Amino acid sequence: MYDSFMIQADSLKNDVVNGETVGFQFIVRLANYRGIYLSLASGFYVSVDGVEYGEDVQTLEINGKAPRTMAEIARAGFEHWDLQTKAILHIRKPGGLEKGRHDIGYMPATLDGYGYNAHDEEWVTNPPKPGTRGGGKTHHICMFDLELQE
Amino acid sequence: MIKRSVSLYSYQQNEFFGWMDWKAQLREIALNLDGADGVEIINETTIPNYPCPPEAWIYEWRSELARWGLQAVTMDTFLDTLQFRDHVMTYREAGERIRYDLELAHKMGFRNMRLCHHTPYQAVEMNLDLAAKYDIIMTNECDVRSLDLGHMMGDSIESEIAFIERTKTKHYGLQIDMSQFQNKPCCIQLRYRFRTAGFSPERAAEAAEDIFQTFEKIGREATNEYIKEKYPEIAGGPFPALHMHANPIGRMYEIIPYLVHMHGKFYEMTEVPGKPGLYEDRALPYEEVFKHLKKSGYNGYISSEFEGQRSQQDMGLEGLIDEVDQVRKHQQMMKRFIEDKHNNTPF
């Protein structure tokens, strides 16, 4: 679902803090027909030119708040990610990305569902690794050919 | 007389891209669907700042309904059991989530509220008095993914009915999704599946149609074997290539006394061969279902619930399907079957 649209095409750029390039960022959307409680976003599969970037280097900027780690996002049980809301996914990578085009692999991992399921208890301590299970309604890693913006 | 409604789920792509907001969606239903007057929503999609919309928005919602003469039929709700991440939601917490959805449904004027399947009776029972106070009927849905009708007709339907009889409630019932009766291949889904397996759009279209025509000739089991042999690229994966329940339509009568609402799920409206201007979804036996619904005396709503859009979102903006057009064609078809006086008696 939204295979071509989960990442905003013109949003890939380097993250610069106090003159230092600390990583890169792009704008992401929910791959769903509904919004979800923000806590249900458990991470994102991200690869750039074949290199994967795990949850430990991901922070999510959403709802007008500063970027939060995925552990902080997990505690946002009363905050909502509306379907229409765009979020900025930051990836820590000293030096950022090189100029030019990049192949981005992307798939959100969200734990939204339809009532109680047999896997519930396991997922409290061991949620599916991003990229291994569909988040929302997208069931495979989608590829994006994006140009790094200035 | 069966009444027609639209689930705003049908316009999810327009919502995602910001092309039609909820007001534009209500206007479309009121002006262009030839008598449809019911509205169904997805709570976490339509309601801004869910679960705490501004009071001013509630007034605006009711004002728009009144302006267009529309009825708030059903609000669809969800139960995310890992909302709190450090524990599985307790039944009391689940009951609380249902309670505040009931409060919202009441404020917005809805007559029904769809719960998620796999909602425990304890959480439902906590809310029966509130539902009665607001005169809202909570419903459990049998849809294609979980409690299929065949299963509901076994242990689960018995437990559903036992719950209704034990509590003597008038505020809990069932709803059916048309996907329960899908009995032919869904070509728009097959085309998507072929494209994600590497087929070009043209080859994907040819292969999907080949499967549909083969199915018509040799039936489901033989077509499954045909797919394994001719199209191994799509034979695996989490869902079978021929993903359909094909429940016997006549069994609907067993739950008719408890039927509150229906989802008119559909995937792709195409012109009926030889009948220009008339449309059908080839995967779904709508005509037969309507015959039985009319025979049963069902007089509730059936909502257009379009789901084909997600199968074309891999081809860029130019590949998107027009949701508004699809809903118009679906409503035209439902109106035709509802009003057809020659099709009132099941064969």
Side-chain angles (χ1 to χ4, degrees), chain A residues 1-5 29-30 32-37 39-42 74 77-78 80 82-84 111-117 120-121 123-124 127 137 139-140, chain B residues 9 12-13 15-17 44-45 49-51 78-86 88-91 94 97 100 116-118 120 145 192 310 313-317:
Chain A
M1 190 176 197
Y2 297 120
D3 296 16
S4 304
F5 307 102
R29 301 287 303 271
L30 279 174
N32 209 322
Y33 61 82
R34 65 167 171 121
I36 58 172
Y37 280 100
S39 54
L40 297 165
S42 65
F78 290 101
H80 203 249
D82 287 354
L83 181 64
Q84 301 83 352
L111 305 178
D112 49 293
Y114 296 86
Y116 289 83
N117 284 290
D120 285 348
E121 287 293 348
W123 284 13
V124 171
K137 299 293 179 184
H139 302 288
H140 58 272
Chain B
Y9 178 95
Q12 57 184 266
Q13 182 173 272
E15 186 77 55
F16 180 91
F17 288 110
E44 294 193 69
T45 302
N49 301 324
Y50 176 87
F78 298 86
L79 190 62
D80 295 305
T81 52
L82 293 173
Q83 179 182 341
F84 304 116
R85 292 296 300 276
D86 60 353
V88 178
M89 184 179 276
T90 66
Y91 287 178
R97 184 156 173 179
Y100 67 64
C116 255
H117 26 248
H118 307 317
R145 286 170 23 90
Y192 173 73
R310 70 178 60 164
Q313 291 164 342
D314 59 317
M315 297 192 293
L317 284 173

Side-chain angles (χ1 to χ4, degrees), chain B residues 29-159:
Chain B
I29 295 169
L31 296 183
N32 295 315
L33 300 181
D34 203 8
D37 73 342
V39 179
E40 176 168 356
I41 69 162
I42 304 294
N43 62 350
E44 294 193 69
T45 302
T46 296
I47 301 173
N49 301 324
Y50 176 87
C52 303
E55 284 294 316
W57 186 84
I58 299 285
Y59 279 92
E60 199 174 13
W61 166 261
R62 298 193 71 128
S63 171
E64 287 293 307
L65 287 180
R67 174 187 185 187
W68 297 114
L70 297 173
Q71 307 295 314
V73 178
T74 297
M75 183 169 99
D76 296 3
T77 68
F78 298 86
L79 190 62
D80 295 305
T81 52
L82 293 173
Q83 179 182 341
F84 304 116
R85 292 296 300 276
D86 60 353
H87 67 279
V88 178
M89 184 179 276
T90 66
Y91 287 178
R92 177 160 291 282
E93 288 167 337
E96 279 296 297
R97 184 156 173 179
I98 294 170
R99 183 187 62 75
Y100 67 64
D101 277 333
L102 272 173
E103 296 285 358
L104 277 173
H106 170 62
K107 286 182 180 176
M108 295 174 69
F110 283 98
R111 62 182 68 181
N112 307 320
M113 190 175 97
R114 190 219 60 179
L115 305 175
C116 255
H117 26 248
H118 307 317
T119 295
Y121 291 125
Q122 291 92 331
V124 177
E125 196 158 0
M126 281 171 57
N127 288 288
L128 286 178
D129 288 345
L130 188 63
K133 177 182 169 187
Y134 291 155
D135 198 18
I136 291 173
I137 304 177
M138 296 181 283
T139 63
N140 189 7
E141 180 181 10
C142 343
D143 94 339
V144 74
R145 286 170 23 90
S146 60
L147 295 174
D148 71 71
L149 192 57
H151 183 54
M152 291 286 285
M153 291 299 170
D155 294 334
S156 291
I157 189 63
E158 288 169 5
S159 66

Side-chain angles (χ1 to χ4, degrees), chain B residues 300-317:
Chain B
Y301 279 88
I302 177 165
S303 285
S304 292
E305 196 189 48
F306 179 52
E307 196 174 286
Q309 62 280 76
R310 70 178 60 164
S311 298
Q312 295 204 175
Q313 291 164 342
D314 59 317
M315 297 192 293
L317 284 173

Side-chain angles (χ1 to χ4, degrees), chain A residues 8 45 86 98 132:
Chain A
Q8 186 169 307
Y45 174 88
K86 297 176 180 177
E98 300 288 326
T132 61

